[in-house]
Amino acid sequence: MSDSYRVAILGATGAVGTELLELLESRNFPVAELKLLASPRSAGRTLQFLGEDLPVEAVGDRSFDNVDVVLASAGGSTSKAWASKAVDAGAVVIDNSSAFRLDPGVPLVVPEVNPEAAATHQGIIANPNCTTILLAVAVWPLHQVQPVKRIVAATYQSASGAGARAMEEVKTHTSAILRGEDPKPGIFPYTLAFNLFPHNSPMTDLGYCEEELKMLNETRKIFGAPDLRVTATCVRVPVLRAHSEAINLEFEQPFPVAKAKEVLVNAPGVKLVENWQTNYFPMPIEASGRDEVLVGRIRQDISHPCGLELWLSGDQIRKGAALNAIQIAELLVERHLLKPTTPAFSK
Ligand code: A2P
């Protein structure tokens, strides 16, 4: 019998949590037992896994007993409250929140970029910010050919980044506006339907919001490039799921467009999508539900001889969150960095 693992999903009822559940099933992750954890609001609900209804439990002191790996996606404060308890109970925590990402003792991992960092974990592995993951998957293969000096990014971020209730808000607000009503914002600070606004994460003294600084600090950590220059403007757009990014890259030397395309066609986790005759390039609606980051519009920056421009769309819930976390768990299994339990989950 092959090895299998006792898994807990913290935040199982959320947008990322439900995707984690689906991915464990569709990618045949070797699950011995599965625990679904959320807030007391969800206790008593059930969610399906492999055709079986599993109960959702309110997270509590004994939730991590006999658990090998915790996939956490319930926000930073919940992770801060529970991650060390899970580690003390013997589990490895793969955390989707920002709580531990810049902690020097916590690896920040994108499996296509820095899988080796996972081996250095001391109980917690952080899953990067969604826009950072998408950027890293697209830019890292180019950075391997010629180090990038500076990245200028503008993001077009969907509602899904703010969770399931934010997605619902965009839908209900869209319907309300179409009925001639004036809906009041609830999850977001302003109405997103038929609108857009600079990212709603807290503003810092630098004039950058936290989301923008995540792109700077997390990209540096993942790339192992502490001096890399990154600047970003992050914007929320009324798209349900999948984020898009316009990215300008500056290299030491000119980076031929043909070479960049050749590199990206062969890059793990990337799909090149371009038809210049029909202006067909990555779109969030086509990135939704897909594993790959769609990259296109690769062109020479006419304002700089060593500049390249590209455009991408990637599923924020999938590669930007749940898929990346599952890939980290798979990496731990492949590299024997998790202790197994048997037998496998069966109906
Ligand atoms: P619940 O559904 O019970 O509120 P999203 O990112 O889509 O908003 O989802 C957030 C997830 O985190 C949900 O599963 C939510 O559970 C869970 N969650 C939020 N706050 C807590 C908490 N204090 N303790 C445990 N889980 C929480």
Side-chain angles (χ1 to χ4, degrees):
M1 188 177 287
S2 56
D3 292 337
S4 58
Y5 304 84
R6 296 166 299 188
V7 180
I9 301 178
L10 176 56
T13 50
V16 175
T18 46
E19 197 74 16
L20 285 165
L21 197 59
E22 192 280 314
L23 285 166
L24 285 174
E25 188 168 321
S26 62
R27 292 173 73 90
N28 289 320
F29 188 85
V31 176
E33 286 168 27
L34 183 58
K35 226 179 230 192
L36 304 179
L37 304 170
S39 80
R41 290 182 290 273
S42 299
R45 276 185 63 186
T46 59
L47 294 171
Q48 279 225 332
F49 181 67
L50 292 173
E52 214 171 276
D53 286 327
L54 298 186
V56 178
E57 300 167 33
V59 63
D61 283 333
R62 310 310 305 265
S63 293
F64 305 104
D65 291 353
N66 305 315
V67 169
D68 302 314
V69 59
V70 179
L71 303 166
S73 193
S77 55
T78 307
S79 286
K80 278 188 187 140
W82 296 104
S84 61
K85 292 192 171 80
V87 173
D88 290 347
V92 175
V93 177
I94 301 172
D95 183 38
N96 194 49
S97 81
S98 59
F100 306 105
R101 288 181 189 148
L102 298 182
D103 185 326
V106 174
L108 184 63
V109 177
V110 178
E112 290 86 347
V113 177
N114 61 341
E116 66 292 338
T120 66
H121 83 80
Q122 294 157 31
I124 301 175
I125 299 176
N127 210 35
N129 161 266
C130 47
T131 45
T132 307
I133 293 177
L134 303 178
L135 180 145
V137 168
V139 175
W140 177 253
L142 302 171
H143 182 68
Q144 294 304 96
V145 174
Q146 208 193 126
V148 65
K149 278 173 48 184
R150 180 166 183 250
I151 301 174
V152 181
T155 71
Y156 304 68
Q157 299 186 221
S158 58
S160 57
R165 291 190 300 150
M167 295 168 79
E168 212 39 53
E169 181 167 293
V170 172
K171 287 195 228 172
T172 54
H173 282 192
T174 302
S175 308
I177 291 169
L178 289 173
R179 287 194 302 271
E181 297 165 12
D182 180 20
K184 295 286 158 281
I187 305 295
F188 287 122
Y190 312 103
T191 301
L192 187 56
F194 299 102
N195 191 25
L196 56 79
F197 45 79
H199 197 277
N200 48 300
S201 56
M203 195 50 70
T204 71
D205 293 343
L206 294 169
Y208 284 74
C209 68
E210 285 182 1
E211 184 81 356
E212 292 160 349
L213 293 183
K214 285 175 188 172
M215 292 186 80
L216 164 65
N217 295 318
E218 295 184 21
T219 306
R220 285 179 166 178
K221 181 168 175 177
I222 297 160
F223 281 20
D227 299 325
L228 180 63
R229 288 186 284 153
V230 181
T231 180
T233 300
C234 293
V235 176
R236 253 322 155 207
V237 293
V239 167
L240 272 189
R241 69 186 272 172
H243 292 350
S244 299
E245 302 179 31
I247 299 175
N248 179 276
L249 302 171
E250 186 187 326
F251 298 89
E252 289 286 353
Q253 304 288 330
F255 200 128
V257 169
K259 178 71 184 166
K261 289 187 186 185
E262 183 194 316
V263 169
L264 289 170
V265 159
N266 295 304
V270 170
K271 182 170 168 55
L272 192 63
V273 173
E274 351 183 80
N275 182 332
W276 292 82
Q277 279 69 46
T278 56
N279 274 22
Y280 173 70
F281 299 109
M283 289 182 268
I285 212 159
E286 293 195 347
S288 293
R290 290 192 69 124
D291 288 351
E292 307 95 333
V293 179
L294 308 183
V295 183
R297 289 212 75 196
I298 299 156
R299 62 200 189 281
Q300 165 75 48
D301 173 354
I302 55 170
S303 74
H304 197 294
C306 302
L308 268 187
E309 295 276 2
L310 58 85
W311 169 256
L312 65 78
S313 295
D315 189 320
Q316 176 275 323
I317 301 179
R318 235 172 148 86
K319 182 57 189 170
L323 174 63
N324 199 72
I326 297 282
Q327 287 174 317
I328 294 171
E330 290 170 348
L331 189 67
L332 296 179
V333 170
E334 274 160 35
R335 301 194 179 191
H336 307 288
L337 296 166
L338 269 185
K339 65 173 174 22
T341 310
T342 49
F345 188 100
S346 59
K347 287 197 253 177

